[in-house]
Amino acid sequence: PGHQQGMQTASAPGDGAAAGESASKDAAQAEAGALDVSAESLDTQLEKSNVLLLGPTGSGKTLLAKTLAQVLDVPFSVSDATPLTQAGYVGEDVEVVIQRLLQSCDYDVARAEQGIVFIDEIDKIARKPDSFSMSKDVSGEGVQQGLLRMLEGTVVTVTDKSGHGHHGPMPPFPPQGPGAQGPPPPPSAQPAPGAAPGGDLGGSMRRRGPLSGTFGPSSGMPGGFGGMGSGGGGKGDVYQVDTSNILFILSGAFVGLDRVIMERVAKGSIGFGNTVRRAGDTTTPGLNVAPVSFDQGAVFNPLEHVEPGDLVKFGLIPEFIGRLPVVTSVGALTRDALVRVLVEPKNALVRQYEALLALSGAQLRITQTALYAIAQQAIDKQTGARGLRRIMENLLLEPMFDCPGSSVRYVVIDSEVVAFKKRPLYFGKIQGADVETAVWNDEHRESAVPAAVVGSEPKRSVATSV
């Protein structure tokens, strides 16, 4: 037994070395497998997934896409789908969205092929319902069909007629009139027999861009004037852009789509215990599907339950929807979010009006309760963040007119001013303490006074109301 124990003790270091060697082999195999996986992933061809963004107006859809492009540092262009028409009709062709992307990156085709194209108001090109009109729908279904190949990935030919490819000063016009003829052209530049008279002005102004168009006496006016810029018949610079890696983000308000969704997912209102839903009600969460939001206190949003069939009923063709694999929705901004929009961004509305009144030597003070009242008005009017400026303009119209050239140094906007129960409060230079008192009284009014007195108008002893 002692001999066997010694043999086991002697063989222990060898076993440890063998275990270490096997562990190193396993690590090497794992590393080799990781290298194989990475090599295989490099061979895999990745494709894009275009996005359809649904949401009410003023909910930040355009800002969301623009911020994404700034973070990724890629070219970004915003286009409107309303003026787009089918090729051959009056209006903008669908290729104009790629031309705007090229303009945003100074016609760098390599960068443009990795950019983001944002097309707003895409719901305006929905297919019109069948009617007795015999006119062709060139701004609806025709535009959708024109966007099919561009969304999936194709080579788009863009012609630049804005003069981007022309560099340097424009050559002078040849002398005109009798006796003002310049020196005779060299023999190589003599016009052919039967050609129109005049110099080769179009050739001297020929563009030097990629795939430059052909200019000459036959392309425009006699004498080669057809090569002058974009208005004389010149073809301009032609760019070939591959849209396979361009991300397309389409957005729209889709007014009426919520009713289409509710007709599909709402439970029947027949029978005892069922919720009776009014016609057009899109807020009752009585559904045949599971809720998407995990927030129990969130407001029900029918757009979260959108399906391709709902978009087809709305007016989009199935081929168009199939090229938009990611369909998501943006809810309306809450009151807290609208208050943050008022005060937090660099171009916040409160900061802008503070700067405008500061030019007149006045300081703007808006109470916290007034900010929430402004946000609530924007929600009631269903205008979103865009409606905040209209409300601010109505509130500060008189102060911006009264403050210049006056002794007013402080302008206070409280909740009653927002409700148009009284006019804005003006204070002089030595009334700084009264300003703080007015702000404190408005922000602590509900907790400081009884509920029966909340609706009554407070005393104006601390302010000089104009």
Side-chain angles (χ1 to χ4, degrees), residues 269-288:
S269 58
I270 299 177
F272 295 101
N274 289 332
T275 304
V276 179
R277 186 171 59 89
R278 299 189 306 270
D281 183 13
T282 59
T283 59
T284 304
L287 306 177
N288 290 324

Side-chain angles (χ1 to χ4, degrees), residues 421-465:
K421 295 181 179 180
K422 64 181 181 181
R423 304 176 71 178
L425 305 178
Y426 297 159
F427 298 88
K429 183 177 181 180
I430 61 175
Q431 294 179 299
D434 296 339
V435 172
E436 300 299 331
T437 303
V439 173
W440 190 91
N441 289 338
D442 185 67
E443 293 181 350
H444 298 80
R445 178 178 296 134
E446 295 184 1
S447 59
V449 297
V453 194
V454 170
S456 61
E457 185 175 349
K459 297 180 179 180
R460 301 184 182 179
S461 58
V462 299
T464 303
S465 181

Side-chain angles (χ1 to χ4, degrees), residues 74-148:
V74 294
F76 178 77
S77 69
V78 180
S79 301
D80 197 349
T82 306
L84 298 180
T85 56
Q86 192 174 357
Y89 291 87
V90 176
E92 295 182 353
D93 295 338
V94 294
E95 288 81 6
V96 75
V97 300
I98 305 298
Q99 184 177 0
R100 292 195 179 103
L101 184 64
L102 280 171
Q103 292 174 354
S104 66
C105 60
D106 197 17
Y107 290 86
D108 188 351
V109 178
R111 289 201 64 206
E113 290 180 347
Q114 298 179 354
I116 298 177
V117 172
F118 184 83
I119 304 178
D120 200 4
E121 306 294 345
I122 201 66
D123 55 325
K124 303 303 185 295
I125 64 171
R127 180 171 48 189
K128 297 180 180 179
D130 296 335
S131 60
F132 296 100
S133 177
M134 300 300 295
S135 61
K136 189 175 181 181
D137 188 12
V138 298
S139 61
E141 185 177 356
V143 178
Q144 297 184 43
Q145 294 174 354
L147 288 171
L148 293 180

Side-chain angles (χ1 to χ4, degrees), residues 304-451:
E304 295 179 354
H305 304 273
V306 65
E307 294 291 340
D310 302 327
L311 296 174
V312 172
K313 290 182 180 180
F314 186 82
L316 301 182
I317 60 178
E319 301 89 342
F320 188 76
I321 302 172
R323 288 164 172 81
L324 300 170
V326 180
V327 180
T328 183
S329 63
V330 178
L333 296 179
T334 61
R335 189 172 64 169
D336 294 335
L338 289 173
V339 171
R340 294 182 61 187
V341 170
L342 280 171
V343 297
E344 290 188 7
K346 294 181 179 179
N347 59 341
L349 288 177
V350 174
R351 294 185 181 183
Q352 294 183 32
Y353 287 103
E354 287 176 352
L356 289 175
L357 289 177
L359 297 176
S360 304
Q363 181 180 355
L364 176 63
R365 294 291 301 273
I366 303 179
T367 63
Q368 194 71 14
T369 54
L371 291 176
Y372 277 95
I374 293 172
Q376 187 61 43
Q377 285 190 14
I379 294 175
D380 296 339
K381 296 179 180 179
Q382 297 182 357
T383 53
R386 290 191 178 95
L388 295 174
R389 181 175 288 275
R390 178 188 295 271
I391 300 174
M392 294 290 291
E393 285 286 346
N394 293 334
L395 290 176
L396 298 175
L397 178 62
E398 291 186 3
M400 287 190 295
F401 179 79
D402 296 336
C403 288
S406 66
S407 60
V408 177
R409 292 296 176 264
Y410 299 96
V411 178
V412 176
I413 304 295
D414 58 10
S415 57
E416 292 196 347
V417 175
V418 176
F420 296 100
K421 295 181 179 180
K422 64 181 181 181
R423 304 176 71 178
L425 305 178
Y426 297 159
F427 298 88
K429 183 177 181 180
I430 61 175
Q431 294 179 299
D434 296 339
V435 172
E436 300 299 331
T437 303
V439 173
W440 190 91
N441 289 338
D442 185 67
E443 293 181 350
H444 298 80
R445 178 178 296 134
E446 295 184 1
S447 59
V449 297

